[in-house]
Amino acid sequence: MKFLRSMIGYMIAGMLVMTAFDAFAGQYGIVGGVFAAFIVIGPMWFMNHYVGLIQNLDENAFVDMAMGIGLVGIFRDTFIKGVPALMDTVPTLACVILGAVIAGFVAAAIEKDMEKDDQVPADTEPGPGYDADGGVNK
C-alpha cells in the first residue's frame, strides 16, 4: 500500500507541475515559473511529505518529488509526441545516471572517511586542573 500511496503522490505532483509550469511560464516567463513553483510545489510538498503520502524512511536513500515529476514529464511527452521524444531524452538520462553513480561513490568515500574520524579514541589523559576521576581540582 505504501508503494501505491507514493506512486499517487508522485503522479499528482508530476501532472500538476507539467501542466502548471507550461501554462504559467509560457504566458508570464520567469515570474510565471516562480509563481507556479509557489502554488504547485508548495502544496505538493505539503501533501507528499508533511501529510505523509510519500514515505521517506531515515535509513533509506531520500528520493524527492523530482524523480516522479521527471518521469511524468518524460512519459507525458512520449505519449503525446511518440517514441522519438523518448529517444531525445536518452543522452540527458545517460548523463544523469553517470552523475548519480559518481555521486554515490563520492558519498560512500566521504561516509567512510567520516566513520574513520569517529573511531579515533578520545584523549584519556586528564588535563591540567582535573584529577584522575574526572573531577575538577580546586
Side-chain angles (χ1 to χ4, degrees), residues 41-64:
I41 298 297
M44 289 300 98
W45 186 93
F46 178 80
M47 177 186 75
N48 286 330
H49 295 294
Y50 187 77
V51 173
L53 199 57
I54 295 173
Q55 182 180 18
N56 289 311
L57 301 174
D58 291 339
E59 63 270 4
N60 293 347
F62 183 76
V63 177
D64 206 0

